[in-house]
Amino acid sequence: TAEKKVVELTDKETELSKKLVAVEYWKQGFKKIRLFFVQRILLSLQIEVASAISALGLVGWKVFLSTEAETKSGAMKLGIQIKVREPNGVEADWECWSGGEAQRLRRAISFGLSNLIQRAAGVKYDFEVYDEPTKGLSPEGIEDLLTALDYRAISTNKIIWVVDHAALSFSGFSEIWKVVKTKKEGSKVYRISEAN
């Protein structure tokens, strides 16, 4: 009877091993399917980002999105990978860019992602708010950003609010409001300029 028990246990172990192999196969298969669909979405996002990036003053720059990248050791690293190439051909990881360039790249990706989500969901939001979008930008970068937001408002028929600590002047603004906060009176809102 001990021999019979050993045979039964060996058969169960063999059966469980076969099931484990099947589970691993499907687990890897579903991961690849998921990455395939994510890659298709990333390609759509890449197209949306490409249209926004030039409007933000980074003419000739390209953002590449993928679901895998090769490491220095030659292995494949899975996950969303972002590479940026500037016009002179230098290509680097997303994290390498700083200051105004990084701010513009982030804004281009946020524009692209917003457009992609709205299109995929079949909805259109007619209102956007940008909180301190000029942080880290040069005067030229601020002008490019405000021009891009003006174009975005007109081309998408949206109302766009820019909320910033700096006093911004731009001919595309339809109204300018100022909030003044004092200890005695609290916050007061003033209209600086009327709509055109």
Side-chain angles (χ1 to χ4, degrees), residues 86-189:
E86 60 180 341
N88 65 10
V90 174
E91 187 172 306
D93 288 333
W94 166 256
E95 300 85 18
C96 294
W97 305 99
S98 62
E101 292 165 342
Q103 177 75 333
R104 293 180 196 202
L105 290 167
R106 278 193 299 275
R107 187 66 58 214
I109 290 176
S110 71
F111 284 173
L113 191 56
S114 173
N115 292 345
L116 182 67
I117 289 170
Q118 288 179 65
R119 196 167 8 101
V123 297
K124 183 178 183 289
Y125 300 107
D126 60 357
F127 186 78
E128 292 180 358
V129 177
Y130 293 92
D131 185 26
E132 295 188 59
T134 64
K135 187 176 181 184
L137 294 179
S138 66
E140 296 81 16
I142 292 171
E143 185 70 23
D144 287 340
L145 172 65
L146 296 177
T147 302
L149 288 173
D150 186 42
Y151 175 76
R152 182 173 178 81
I154 293 166
S155 65
T156 60
N157 199 26
K158 292 182 187 240
I159 296 168
I160 295 182
W161 284 16
V162 175
V163 180
D164 211 302
H165 286 282
L168 302 172
S169 64
F170 178 67
S171 63
F173 289 151
S174 59
E175 293 182 0
I176 298 176
W177 293 72
K178 181 178 182 178
V179 178
V180 178
K181 185 175 182 178
T182 63
K183 286 184 180 182
K184 185 178 178 184
E185 298 178 10
S187 296
K188 295 215 178 220
V189 180

Side-chain angles (χ1 to χ4, degrees), residues 15 37 41 57 61-62 77 83 89 103 117 132 135 176 191:
E15 189 62 32
F37 284 111
I41 291 167
W61 287 60
K62 298 209 181 299
K77 179 173 137 184
K83 294 274 189 188
Q103 177 75 333
I117 289 170
E132 295 188 59
K135 187 176 181 184
I176 298 176
R191 182 183 297 176

Side-chain angles (χ1 to χ4, degrees), residues 20 24 26 42 49 68 76-77 151:
L20 185 60
E24 266 313 302
W26 286 109
L42 288 179
V49 170
E68 58 188 18
M76 292 308 284
K77 179 173 137 184
Y151 175 76

